[in-house]
Amino acid sequence: MTTSVHSDQPPNRQTLYVAVALILGIVAGELLNLTLGKGNPLLSQIIEIFTVLTDIFLRLVKMIIAPLVFSTLVVGMAKMGDIQTVGRIGIKAILWFFSASLFSLLLGMLLVNSFEPGSSLHMALPAAGAEIGLPNVKPTLSTFAAHMFPKSIVEAMANNEILQIVVFSMFFGVACASLGELARPTVKLLDSLSHIMLKVTSYVMHYAPVAVFSAIASVIAQNGISVLLSYGKFIGEFYFGLLLLCCLLGCFAFLFLGRRVLSLIRHIREPMLLAFGTASSESAYPKLLQQLERFGCDEKVCGLVLPLGYSFNLDGSMMYMTYAVLFIAQAYGIDMPLMDQLMMLMVLLFTSKGVAGVPRASLIVIAATLSMFNIPEAGLLLLLGIDQILDMGRSATNVYGNSIAAALVSRWEKALRY
């Protein structure tokens, strides 16, 4: 896992295949939408095939995540050798996560107040009390505890609860480090397992272009490119916000990494494209871990920071939460004073950590926040039609944010290879 790859390597063919699949998916989806039309039984069958093809890839990736997180984290902590090092890296990572999350929320608030996309949306608002079709999970302290501390590691791995796997792995890794020679065979076995899982990842990634094609074709075939036009202003402004967020995070990273930021972006472009195409940052995890180590990040630091980041550091999702809440308030003509908006930021900063691992967690947190500030939850229906398109951008941004976090913590630990 410490194989070094030069930053001036030729363009990755896999990245090219994923990019081509993305473009072909848009073209194929629009052709299907125009020729068959919405509501056509044949279109429904084709979309179902696309959904199955995407689902196969996501399932294969999820199959890798639990053993990969467990093995890399335990080996990393066992090699660190002491609890102080683990604590130091963990504290640096958590401080960065909260700072980046707060910055993302503030930037989202600033942009949505400047652009006011909701006030210009001339659509009939859904009736108050309309069903929004989300799991009934409230972001409370008890749900956060339930998603953080496992009652069974087997159950945590079966449900891909990354945060629970991290907690168990930390206990296991510290125990291995304290036992020294006695635990060495287990650590060696898990080190071997992590290499095997990364090899499995390379096999699974051959299927990625098919999954990206199917995912994007399905979305466009269902809604047509017209959905991009009717919501064009909102989507454009939100993507501008994500791009601005990435640039600002990149500028901050430049202060510590210098021109190596460009090399980092070159290394992570494939995981970002993958997350964008499948609208899932989880799908990029195994490949991201591989690419960060090739970039020069310390494998021990990556093994700890990346799984934590997937639970606590979702910068794109954080920006989306402020954007969505204030957009819905604007659409209803509800004026939120500055103090209410700042209170909302604090609520989102902590409640967003309470539903890690819950499907469509961003939407659940938004729904809970809307009801807290007396904004009709049914307003969320305004965004459900384009949520997949928005999710693509925020998933790619989540991957980018976690890459920056891993690189910076490696640098701060003086563990970044040059």
Side-chain angles (χ1 to χ4, degrees), residues 137-149:
V137 182
K138 294 294 178 187
T140 61
L141 189 62
S142 59
T143 55
F144 175 68
H147 282 291
M148 185 166 183
F149 300 103

Side-chain angles (χ1 to χ4, degrees), residues 124-256:
L125 290 166
E131 181 58 49
I132 57 172
L134 290 174
N136 187 25
V137 182
K138 294 294 178 187
T140 61
L141 189 62
S142 59
T143 55
F144 175 68
H147 282 291
M148 185 166 183
F149 300 103
K151 58 184 176 185
S152 160
I153 185 57
V154 176
E155 183 188 48
M157 286 186 164
N159 296 329
N160 258 351
E161 290 275 8
I162 292 182
L163 199 51
Q164 292 186 0
I165 297 168
V166 168
V167 169
F168 177 80
S169 302
M170 287 174 82
F171 278 106
F172 198 94
V174 169
C176 286
S178 65
L179 288 171
E181 199 64 40
L182 189 63
R184 187 165 287 182
T186 303
V187 174
K188 198 171 181 181
L189 178 68
L190 289 174
D191 195 19
S192 176
L193 175 64
S194 65
H195 282 78
I196 292 166
M197 293 319 297
L198 286 171
K199 193 68 181 171
V200 172
T201 298
S202 67
Y203 298 148
V204 171
M205 286 306 145
H206 289 306
Y207 182 66
V210 177
V212 169
F213 171 83
S214 305
I216 196 72
S218 173
V219 174
I220 302 294
Q222 269 178 307
N223 304 300
I225 286 191
S226 57
V227 75
L228 300 179
L229 301 175
S230 58
Y231 278 91
K233 187 170 182 250
F234 178 81
I235 294 169
E237 287 167 358
F238 178 66
Y239 270 83
F240 169 76
L242 291 177
L243 186 63
L244 185 61
L245 176 63
C246 288
C247 288
L248 292 171
L249 288 175
C251 288
F252 183 83
F254 181 81
L255 298 175
F256 297 92

Side-chain angles (χ1 to χ4, degrees), residues 76-151:
M77 292 179 74
K79 284 180 180 176
M80 283 176 199
D82 64 292
I83 192 75
Q84 284 89 353
T85 310
V86 174
R88 190 178 67 244
I89 293 172
I91 288 167
K92 284 178 182 175
I94 295 292
L95 284 173
W96 169 255
F97 295 160
F98 273 90
S99 304
S101 294
L102 188 58
F103 178 71
S104 305
L105 289 166
L106 278 167
L107 186 62
M109 186 185 89
L110 184 70
L111 291 172
V112 81
N113 279 307
S114 303
F115 294 138
E116 295 191 343
S119 57
S120 63
L121 188 67
H122 304 294
M123 289 185 70
L125 290 166
E131 181 58 49
I132 57 172
L134 290 174
N136 187 25
V137 182
K138 294 294 178 187
T140 61
L141 189 62
S142 59
T143 55
F144 175 68
H147 282 291
M148 185 166 183
F149 300 103
K151 58 184 176 185

